[in-house]
Amino acid sequence: MTAYVIARLGKAPVHAEVLTYLERIAATLVPFAGRFIVHGGAVDVLEGDWSGDVVVLEFPDATHARSWYQSSDYQEIKPLRTRHLTGEVILVDGVEPGHVASQLAATIRRATDR
């Protein structure tokens, strides 16, 4: 099942280390079949509070995503980002093709009906 690494990163002044991180991150994704889906595009807040930029990386599955994040190549460049940008990073599974929300609701109803 496809998995995604999603980051919400606070805005910060441009720093040379962050630019180096950006220059090097693509090469760390290749061995794990990762790719950018979203990389700091415009955010239109429809509900709630939001600040910062969004980054979404796609991987074939959670194992690939976790292996990328834990890889020595990524861990080597990660401090170039974390020293200058704050935020959250999560790993989440996608849904199977043909996912239907009403089927999920039916499963939850059956599990909670007594």
Side-chain angles (χ1 to χ4, degrees), residues 4-19:
Y4 301 90
V5 171
I6 303 171
R8 188 210 51 85
L9 301 173
K11 300 241 183 228
V14 175
H15 191 281
E17 285 189 340
V18 174
L19 296 176

Side-chain angles (χ1 to χ4, degrees), residues 48-94:
D49 296 321
W50 189 274
S51 63
D53 291 321
V54 179
V55 177
V56 180
L57 303 173
E58 179 185 64
F59 293 87
D61 54 44
T63 299
H64 280 79
R66 196 169 285 105
S67 295
W68 162 75
Y69 187 80
Q70 295 170 347
S71 71
S72 59
D73 286 342
Y74 183 68
Q75 290 300 308
E76 179 182 323
I77 68 168
K78 183 178 146 190
L80 301 175
R81 173 183 58 81
T82 59
R83 282 194 285 263
H84 307 285
L85 299 172
T86 61
E88 297 80 31
V89 178
I90 63 170
L91 168 59
V92 62
D93 283 326

Side-chain angles (χ1 to χ4, degrees), residues 18-69:
V18 174
L19 296 176
T20 300
Y21 172 88
L22 291 171
E23 292 164 349
R24 294 177 57 191
I25 190 171
T28 71
L29 296 169
V30 172
F32 305 97
R35 69 184 188 106
F36 282 93
I37 300 296
V38 176
H39 197 189
V43 173
D44 184 5
V45 180
L46 301 176
E47 294 182 27
D49 296 321
W50 189 274
S51 63
D53 291 321
V54 179
V55 177
V56 180
L57 303 173
E58 179 185 64
F59 293 87
D61 54 44
T63 299
H64 280 79
R66 196 169 285 105
S67 295
W68 162 75
Y69 187 80

